[in-house]
Amino acid sequence: MNSFYQEIAKKHQSLLILPQKKDIHQFIEDLFSVLFSNTSKSFGHLPIIEHKFEVLEKEFNEIVRNYTSDKNDSFRQSITFFEALPELYRKTLNDAETIYAKDPAAKSIEEVLYAYPGFLAIAVYRFSNQLWKQELRLLARTFSEYAHIKTSIEIHPGAQIGDEFAIDHGTGIVIGETTVIGNNVQIYQGVTLGALSVKKEEAFIKRHPTIEDNVVIYANSTILGGQTTVGKDSIIGGNVWLTYSVPSNSVVYHKNEMKVKDNNPFPEPIFYSI
């Protein structure tokens, strides 16, 4: 076993020292509690909010320092992230408003912010995408992993997603790295926006589909390929398997046929289109 222990020790010598994931997860929860959760009346007082953000900036800077060897760079990264927060916050609240407007089960914005896994997944994506743009790729992936653990929704931080994005239910959704999604798009549970191939040599090309504005994609549909585009104002029905582009204003659906038998020994089958 001694040689095995030596192998493990040697391997650790070459690895980047990273913060524990629980520290990053705690930062996300602390940030979201200030931005989106009405859990304390003290949050209504400006000095409290200012203090909260001072603490958050210090926590974030400590995290980022583990992802860069340059202390000044970690400080700049923190400034860039927090300067982006106002716009990220507005975008994310806009997503919440969109979810509330589209889902008849949602009774208030507070319900969406507090209890909707789709909102949580979108919100974490918005912040992880900012980190991705700042070249903090591993940290961005750790953010997205947190949302995946919490919601069973996997959105790659490199995906490009427009405004007014809505996820209904959401369990099992997968959105790949090079996916492009326009504005006012709604996606239901089990949808995959994936690649036709997982060859490593295709890592730097567009592998995932483009979804244009005002598209609805219903449950358990799979849309694959970097050259696949769903045109604006289209509806993709449930359980569709799509590997080619469709024009604007399309309706794509999966057709099943059901045969109903009766007691006639030679019955005429009755077909229902679903």
Side-chain angles (χ1 to χ4, degrees):
M1 292 295 291
N2 188 56
S3 62
F4 173 66
Y5 299 153
Q6 289 177 343
E7 179 184 348
I8 296 298
K10 184 177 181 181
K11 182 67 174 177
H12 276 285
Q13 292 171 13
S14 63
L15 291 174
L16 182 66
I17 303 301
L18 298 171
Q20 294 192 46
K21 290 180 182 178
K22 66 179 182 180
D23 296 334
I24 299 171
H25 295 177
Q26 187 61 55
F27 170 78
I28 297 170
E29 291 176 8
D30 292 344
L31 177 63
F32 278 40
S33 72
V34 174
L35 293 178
F36 304 120
S37 297
N38 192 23
T39 55
S40 173
K41 287 187 177 180
S42 68
F43 288 173
H45 300 286
L46 181 59
I48 298 296
I49 291 298
E50 289 175 337
H51 174 69
K52 286 286 185 182
F53 274 101
E54 287 175 4
V55 172
L56 286 167
E57 287 188 51
K58 290 178 182 178
E59 290 178 4
F60 187 76
N61 191 53
E62 286 298 315
I63 290 171
V64 173
R65 285 176 63 184
N66 293 278
Y67 293 87
T68 175
S69 58
D70 185 342
K71 183 178 180 180
N72 290 328
D73 182 54
S74 68
F75 184 67
R76 286 192 297 269
Q77 292 280 18
S78 295
I79 291 174
T80 300
F81 181 77
F82 277 85
E83 285 181 344
L85 279 186
E87 180 62 20
L88 292 171
Y89 177 68
R90 284 189 287 270
K91 279 180 174 286
T92 308
L93 280 185
N94 198 21
D95 295 324
E97 293 280 0
T98 301
I99 293 171
Y100 174 60
K102 291 179 180 291
D103 186 358
K107 300 302 187 288
S108 67
I109 284 294
E110 288 81 5
E111 181 183 355
V112 174
L113 296 175
Y114 191 75
Y116 266 52
F119 170 75
L120 177 61
I122 295 168
V124 173
Y125 157 76
R126 297 287 186 203
F127 292 94
S128 68
N129 178 251
Q130 175 62 34
L131 296 173
W132 190 263
K133 292 174 180 176
Q134 292 179 219
E135 300 294 329
L136 293 170
R137 299 293 172 86
L138 184 53
L139 181 56
R141 290 286 276 174
T142 310
F143 266 57
S144 63
E145 180 208 30
Y146 169 84
H148 190 197
I149 292 169
K150 290 287 187 178
T151 67
S152 296
I153 298 168
E154 183 176 352
I155 306 177
H156 194 287
Q160 300 176 45
I161 300 178
D163 296 335
E164 300 176 349
F165 184 47
I167 288 177
D168 200 338
H169 304 296
T171 304
I173 284 175
V174 177
I175 299 176
E177 176 186 6
T178 61
T179 302
V180 177
I181 297 176
N183 299 321
N184 191 37
V185 170
Q186 184 173 18
I187 295 179
Y188 286 77
Q189 69 272 17
V191 167
T192 297
L193 304 179
L196 274 170
S197 170
V198 293
K199 296 177 181 178
K200 192 66 176 180
E201 55 267 29
E202 296 180 358
F204 300 103
I205 67 171
K206 190 177 186 308
R207 309 181 304 282
H208 306 92
T210 295
I211 311 299
E212 294 185 347
D213 297 348
N214 310 317
V215 169
V216 179
I217 306 174
Y218 284 100
N220 300 314
S221 286
T222 299
I223 304 173
L224 304 178
Q227 303 305 311
T228 302
T229 296
V230 176
K232 65 181 182 178
D233 301 303
S234 291
I235 296 174
I236 307 300
N239 299 302
V240 164
W241 179 275
L242 189 63
T243 58
Y244 54 86
S245 295
V246 297
S248 299
N249 298 294
S250 296
V251 177
V252 182
Y253 62 95
H254 175 72
K255 183 178 181 181
N256 288 334
E257 290 185 334
M258 179 172 62
K259 182 171 70 174
V260 179
K261 296 187 295 185
D262 59 24
N263 294 325
N264 187 333
F266 303 102
E268 288 293 325
I270 303 173
F271 293 99
Y272 296 83
S273 294
I274 300 176

